[in-house]
Amino acid sequence: MKFFTKEVQIACVAILGVVVLFFGLQFLKGLSLFSTEDNYYVAFDDISGLSASSPVYANGYKVGVVKGIAYNYSGEGKIIVQIGLDKNMRMSKGSTAEIESDFMGNVKMNIILGGNPLDPIAAGDTIMGNQESGMLAKAASMVPAIEKMLPKIDSILTSVNTLLADPALANSLHNVNTITDNLATTSAQINSLSAQLNKNVPGMLAKANNVLDNTDKLTQDLSTINVSETMSKVNTTLDNVQKLTAKLNSKESTLGLLMHDPQLYNNLTATMRDADSLMIDLKQHPKRYVHFSIFGKKDK
């Protein structure tokens, strides 16, 4: 009787298929086919979509996977997550874990290592875990504020549409175009004026140089004047003027007597008055002073 009958062969193939299926599932889950990991436990209040075979990272590098989740159906206590980490991975005391999710819905666990790597925790110990807010959570926290802003945004858009529909805006834009054209014309005129000034600048500089030359000549002429001699002559002239003024003020000179003698003034005044009376009488009675006759007859 043969041992490897068809039934035995079928059974062996079935067992081999189950083993291959088991290890294949483990491989697809990201679990090691052969145990080279240390098991640790993380206590969470909320795992937010974390599942078995979710990757575990430390400083951005994959160091293990989630091996299992134990939920307390009584609703009391923490949710315990079993993780398998590489044997070379050492977690120090004070390390924590956090759950992070991206926009695609992928969930992973990050290990936040403690401060002192020389004080590690033993395999099988439990660390505390929490949930990172992530971009989705931050975006969700902004939704209420965005909802409050929507009416204001709608009002602003309505005002903008009203402003754009106002014909005054089109007129203003047209005026802006006109102003721009005027500025372009003014700029061209300024450029032309600048060109003319550039042409005239050499002539102006030449004239300025001539003025400076004349100024230099005048300065040289002034420098050749004998200031001391001129001042001496001026002082002499002033002394003579002072002497003349003193003589005029003195009563000893003729001019002084004429200027200071009141009797002479009174006599001159009386003489002028008598001369004036004589002229009046001469005009009124000229025959008294002029005797003229053709026949030589004397008027009585």
Side-chain angles (χ1 to χ4, degrees), residues 30-292:
L31 302 176
S32 300
L33 300 179
F34 304 97
S35 179
T36 59
E37 301 173 340
D38 290 332
N39 293 326
Y40 296 89
Y41 297 94
V42 185
F44 287 98
D45 290 325
D46 185 355
I47 59 174
S48 298
L50 188 69
S51 61
S53 74
S54 294
V56 179
Y57 290 86
N59 297 329
Y61 182 77
K62 183 179 178 180
V63 294
V65 294
V66 176
K67 299 183 70 174
I69 299 175
Y71 179 72
N72 187 353
Y73 287 96
S74 64
E76 298 177 357
K78 302 283 187 178
I79 301 174
I80 306 300
V81 177
Q82 180 185 0
I83 59 175
L85 303 181
D86 190 286
K87 286 184 176 294
N88 296 321
M89 180 70 186
R90 295 288 183 271
M91 285 198 303
S92 57
K93 290 183 178 179
S95 298
T96 59
E98 63 181 12
I99 298 173
E100 179 183 352
S101 59
D102 56 21
F103 285 105
M104 302 300 295
N106 299 318
V107 182
K108 65 180 180 180
M109 182 186 298
N110 289 323
I111 301 297
I112 311 300
L113 298 176
N116 187 5
L118 299 179
D119 189 14
I121 61 176
D125 286 349
T126 301
I127 62 174
M128 298 304 296
N130 54 67
Q131 185 177 7
E132 186 188 33
S133 58
M135 294 298 296
L136 291 176
K138 293 179 181 178
S141 63
M142 294 172 61
V143 170
I146 294 174
E147 289 179 348
K148 292 180 180 179
M149 292 174 60
L150 286 177
K152 296 181 180 179
I153 294 174
D154 183 66
S155 176
I156 292 172
L157 291 176
T158 302
S159 300
V160 170
N161 290 330
T162 304
L163 178 62
L164 293 176
D166 192 350
L169 180 60
N171 294 331
S172 299
L173 294 176
H174 179 71
N175 293 333
V176 169
N177 292 331
T178 304
I179 292 172
T180 303
D181 294 337
N182 293 335
L183 288 176
T185 304
T186 303
S187 178
Q189 293 175 353
I190 291 174
N191 292 332
S192 177
L193 179 61
S194 298
Q196 293 178 0
L197 288 176
N198 291 332
K199 292 180 180 179
N200 296 330
V201 163
M204 295 172 63
L205 291 177
K207 293 181 180 179
N209 291 329
N210 293 332
V211 173
L212 292 177
D213 293 338
N214 295 331
T215 303
D216 292 337
K217 291 180 181 179
L218 178 61
T219 304
Q220 293 176 0
D221 294 339
L222 290 176
S223 64
T224 58
I225 296 175
N226 192 341
V227 178
S228 300
E229 183 179 355
T230 302
M231 293 303 298
S232 176
K233 292 180 180 180
V234 171
N235 291 331
T236 302
T237 303
L238 291 175
D239 290 339
N240 294 331
V241 171
Q242 289 179 354
K243 291 178 180 180
L244 177 61
T245 304
K247 289 182 179 181
L248 291 174
N249 292 327
S250 175
K251 296 181 179 180
E252 295 178 356
S253 63
T254 303
L255 292 175
L257 290 174
L258 290 174
M259 294 177 63
H260 294 90
D261 189 356
Q263 185 177 359
L264 178 61
Y265 171 79
N266 294 330
N267 292 335
L268 289 174
T269 302
T271 301
M272 292 298 296
R273 186 166 51 250
D274 293 339
D276 185 62
S277 299
L278 178 62
M279 290 300 295
I280 294 172
D281 186 65
L282 178 62
K283 289 179 180 181
Q284 293 178 352
H285 307 281
K287 292 181 179 182
R288 292 180 182 179
Y289 304 94
V290 179
H291 300 278
F292 179 77

